[in-house]
């Protein structure tokens, strides 16, 4: 007889994850008012920002009023760094003695931003990750392998603690090299893993070529949580990872300044749930600033972490662009879904030959062509007044016989999906750079002449 599945076996927080949207809104509004008041009372930075906008915390009475609260951008946080109290500046809402965690942003552009957290904030970080890991099927029977060393970046610290919170057994594989990590996974029969898409693919390559291990056949990893890059939300990259490991691959989205605010569930609905319990996520029309509630219209993502207290994150402009999905998720969660996940930052989207393009669109095409390796590189240069775009790829040795048809397919798909023509260079297999953790495959050399 099939056992009845209780709600407690599906959701981390069965009550809140199935609340109707209007109840979630009430919960969010109550918490939003509280965090704005908290910041206004304790942070010089926020008080000044709100006073200049003519806003008092008491002015927020309805959900519509949320949009009246001024937004915060990363550059503003960068400006207050290293000022008093050192090194965080005057958005700090607790005495320095209460700060227990230091992290810094890992973005590839600009000076890093420092992020303080209290012990209570740290508990909140692991709670946010517990929602996401539980939604991805992590349970107390899992043995989770984390193939990274932890450092001043937040990545995987919270995943580690949340897995413990759920009751998983966690194996920190930080000091090992890639081959030793693979052997450890095999020896311990680990069932789950957290990694960047670049590393997930790189590990599978190393396993096959150096150790003769086929992860899908010889290892027991059956779920992989990705972070740090958009790959798990790019269908062709996700498929390559799932096939290489014989595992389900799930995406999540987060940022040091915000928290882990969105996740994919086991239903894999073609998008990410926003965590409506711990965050207030809104989409804003890029031109008019109007809040977008309806599906299918793209907007900038503005997020508030509703319970983070040391350095509050209120109406933070994430620079990500997204749209709401139309359909509810089969998993039964009422948390809204961002369709297709977050694959383009407004920072990353660039204009080439007059066409707007996100680098992830090129990745989607390259990874969808069977005879190509996982590696590629895009170079954008200027020839006179004209943009020139070169795509370097590698053809798999066993597919050399189909070279012409592979290149034609690639050219057609690129034209169709990105509306651009490319100089395609086929390089010998294994000659393009390999990346350990995060890849840098898109190089725009126009600004440097
Ligand atoms: Zn779902």
């Amino acid at each position: 007889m099939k056992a009845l599945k209780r709600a407690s076996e599906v959701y981390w927080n069965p009550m809140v994850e199935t609340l109707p949207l209007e109840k979630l809104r009430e919960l969010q509004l109550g918490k939003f008012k509280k965090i704005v008041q908290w910041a206004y009372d304790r942070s010089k930075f926020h008080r000044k920002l709100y006073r200049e906008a003519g806003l008092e915390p008491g002015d927020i009475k309805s959900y519509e009023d949320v949009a009246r609260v001024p937004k915060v951008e990363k550059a503003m946080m960068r400006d207050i760094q290293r000022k008093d109290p050192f090194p965080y500046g005057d958005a700090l809402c607790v005495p320095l003695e209460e700060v227990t965690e230091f992290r810094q942003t890992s973005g590839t552009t600009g000076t890093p931003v420092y992020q303080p957290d209290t012990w209570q904030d740290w508990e909140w970080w692991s709670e946010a990750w517990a929602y996401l890991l539980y939604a991805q099927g992590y349970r107390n029977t899992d043995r989770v392998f984390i193939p990274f060393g932890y450092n001043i970046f937040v990545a995987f610290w919270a995943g580690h603690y949340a897995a413990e919170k759920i009751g998983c057994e966690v194996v920190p594989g930080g000091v090992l090299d890639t081959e030793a990590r693979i052997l450890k996974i095999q020896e311990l029969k680990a069932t789950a893993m957290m990694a960047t898409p670049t590393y997930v693919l790189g590990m599978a390559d190393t396993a096959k070529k150096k150790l003769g291990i086929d992860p899908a056949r010889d290892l027991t990893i059956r779920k992989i949580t990705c972070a740090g890059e958009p790959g798990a939300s790019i269908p062709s990259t996700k498929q390559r990872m799932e096939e290489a490991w014989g595992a389900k691959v799930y995406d999540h989205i987060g940022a040091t300044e915000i928290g882990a605010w969105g996740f994919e569930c086991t239903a894999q609905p073609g998008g990410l749930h926003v965590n409506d319990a711990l965050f207030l996520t809104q989409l804003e029309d890029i031109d008019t600033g109007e809040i977008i509630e309806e599906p299918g219209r793209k907007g900038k993502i503005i997020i508030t972490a509703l319970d983070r207290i040391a350095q509050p994150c209120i109406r933070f402009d994430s620079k990500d662009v997204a749209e709401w999905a139309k359909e509810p998720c089969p998993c039964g969660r009422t948390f809204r879904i961002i369709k297709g996940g977050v694959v383009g930052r407004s920072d990353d989207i660039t204009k080439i030959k007059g066409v707007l393009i996100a680098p992830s669109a090129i990745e989607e095409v390259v990874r969808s062509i069977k005879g190509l390796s996982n590696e590629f590189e895009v170079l954008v240069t200027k020839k006179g007044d004209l943009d020139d775009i070169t795509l370097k790829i590698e053809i798999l040795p066993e597919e050399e016989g189909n070279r012409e048809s592979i290149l034609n397919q690639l050219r057609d798909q690129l034209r169709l999906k990105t509306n651009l023509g490319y100089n395609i260079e086929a390089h010998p297999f294994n000659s393009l750079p390999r990346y350990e953790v995060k890849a840098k495959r898109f190089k725009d050399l126009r600004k440097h002449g």
Side-chain angles (χ1 to χ4, degrees):
M1 196 180 93
K2 207 174 161 195
L4 280 176
K5 210 168 193 186
R6 290 178 298 131
S8 59
E9 290 166 356
V10 182
Y11 310 110
W12 174 246
N13 186 334
M15 201 272 285
V16 77
E17 288 179 72
T18 52
L19 274 182
L21 187 59
E22 62 274 17
K23 291 278 174 208
L24 281 170
R25 284 278 156 80
E26 265 174 49
L27 182 84
Q28 290 168 331
L29 182 63
K31 283 183 168 191
F32 186 83
K33 288 183 193 170
K34 241 168 110 177
I35 196 72
V36 169
Q37 185 74 56
W38 167 270
Y40 187 86
D41 291 344
R42 287 169 181 81
S43 143
K44 274 190 210 162
F45 167 82
H46 285 93
R47 195 159 51 240
K48 183 162 174 277
L49 184 70
Y50 296 162
R51 281 194 176 151
E52 281 171 5
L55 183 102
E56 295 284 326
D59 297 341
I60 305 160
K61 297 197 168 66
S62 69
Y63 185 77
E64 286 64 42
D65 294 332
V66 168
R68 293 178 53 198
V69 176
K71 284 178 294 233
V72 171
E73 292 191 12
K74 192 176 200 150
M76 296 157 83
M77 300 313 291
R78 206 172 266 144
D79 285 346
I80 62 170
Q81 301 284 295
R82 295 170 196 281
K83 292 183 186 151
D84 207 35
F86 182 84
Y88 304 111
D90 58 12
L92 189 69
C93 288
V94 295
L96 261 183
E97 300 89 292
E98 289 182 24
V99 174
T100 59
E101 315 292 324
F102 169 92
R103 307 276 184 249
Q104 71 178 47
T105 54
S106 60
T108 40
T109 49
T111 324
V113 174
Y114 297 156
Q115 184 70 43
D117 279 311
T118 65
W119 183 247
Q120 183 187 323
D121 290 329
W122 185 239
E123 290 270 299
W124 165 88
W125 262 106
S126 21
E127 180 69 4
W129 266 83
Y131 273 91
L132 88 88
L133 293 181
Y134 207 81
Q136 296 175 352
Y138 287 67
R139 294 296 181 270
N140 58 11
T141 45
D142 277 305
R143 182 171 290 139
V144 182
F145 193 87
I146 307 183
F148 284 100
Y150 308 150
N151 55 29
I152 46 178
F153 308 128
V154 78
F156 302 115
W157 276 99
H160 180 127
Y161 282 90
E164 288 184 349
K165 188 169 180 171
I166 286 174
C168 305
E169 182 184 332
V170 184
V171 186
V175 294
L176 307 173
D177 66 14
T178 300
E179 289 175 45
R181 285 169 182 160
I182 294 161
L183 293 171
K184 205 72 191 164
I185 287 173
Q186 187 176 40
E187 179 206 339
L188 295 176
K189 300 185 168 61
T191 57
M193 182 168 86
M194 303 174 194
T196 59
T198 291
Y199 198 59
V200 171
L201 289 171
M203 261 181 127
D205 265 0
T206 303
K208 278 188 198 140
K209 287 187 192 111
K210 301 244 173 86
L211 301 168
I213 291 176
D214 174 359
R217 189 192 59 208
D218 305 325
L219 302 180
T220 43
I221 298 281
R222 290 300 167 258
K223 44 189 168 275
I224 299 174
T225 301
C226 286
E229 296 172 325
S233 283
I234 299 173
S236 56
T237 301
K238 188 191 199 80
Q239 196 188 344
R240 282 192 177 215
M241 290 192 279
E242 293 197 328
E243 283 173 5
W245 285 85
K248 288 282 177 196
V249 170
Y250 301 113
D251 202 8
H252 109 279
I253 179 88
T256 314
E257 313 93 306
I258 304 168
W261 58 271
F263 57 84
E264 191 175 358
C265 65
T266 51
Q268 295 186 311
L272 304 179
H273 285 283
V274 294
N275 186 330
D276 275 320
L278 303 183
F279 300 87
L280 175 56
T281 307
Q282 295 186 306
L283 297 189
E284 202 185 82
D285 187 284
I286 293 169
D287 300 320
T288 65
E290 184 199 343
I291 300 297
I292 299 170
E293 302 286 359
E294 71 272 27
R297 198 172 134 202
K298 282 198 164 63
K300 216 161 52 161
I301 308 177
I302 312 293
I303 312 172
T304 299
L306 295 166
D307 308 274
R308 197 178 190 181
I309 62 169
Q311 185 166 284
C313 166
I314 301 173
R315 302 248 309 138
F316 189 83
D317 182 347
S318 73
K319 303 279 181 195
D320 293 315
V321 179
E323 62 183 270
W324 296 120
K326 204 185 265 170
E327 304 296 332
C329 187
C331 75
R333 280 178 188 79
T334 47
F335 289 3
R336 291 164 299 162
I337 295 175
I338 285 179
K339 190 182 162 192
V342 176
V343 292
R345 297 221 139 178
S346 53
D347 279 0
D348 292 343
I349 293 171
T350 178
K351 211 175 224 179
I352 302 171
K353 302 180 186 176
V355 177
L356 282 176
I357 183 161
S360 55
I362 302 173
E363 176 174 335
E364 162 68 2
V365 172
V366 172
R367 297 267 171 84
S368 72
I369 310 266
K370 251 197 101 219
L372 298 179
S373 86
N374 289 323
E375 292 306 327
F376 64 95
E377 195 167 272
V378 182
L379 281 179
V380 189
T381 52
K382 236 179 169 52
K383 273 190 180 155
D385 283 341
L386 296 175
D387 292 336
D388 200 57
I389 179 164
T390 299
L391 171 64
K392 301 180 184 177
I393 44 93
E394 294 175 351
I395 294 174
L396 293 172
E398 63 272 24
E399 299 278 351
E400 273 298 341
N402 306 320
R403 192 184 181 91
E404 274 320 301
S405 98
I406 290 169
L407 291 178
N408 284 336
Q409 210 185 331
L410 176 63
R411 201 168 284 122
D412 290 349
Q413 286 298 312
L414 284 167
R415 170 76 62 194
L416 191 72
K417 304 269 170 65
T418 70
N419 292 315
L420 284 170
Y422 300 71
N423 315 310
I424 296 176
E425 288 179 6
H427 287 247
F429 182 63
N430 251 335
S431 66
L432 292 177
R434 260 61 183 168
Y435 298 90
E436 179 78 345
V437 182
K438 279 200 204 189
K440 215 175 157 26
R441 299 192 177 94
F442 189 89
K443 291 170 183 161
D444 190 343
L445 306 177
R446 289 173 297 181
K447 289 148 202 156
H448 316 292

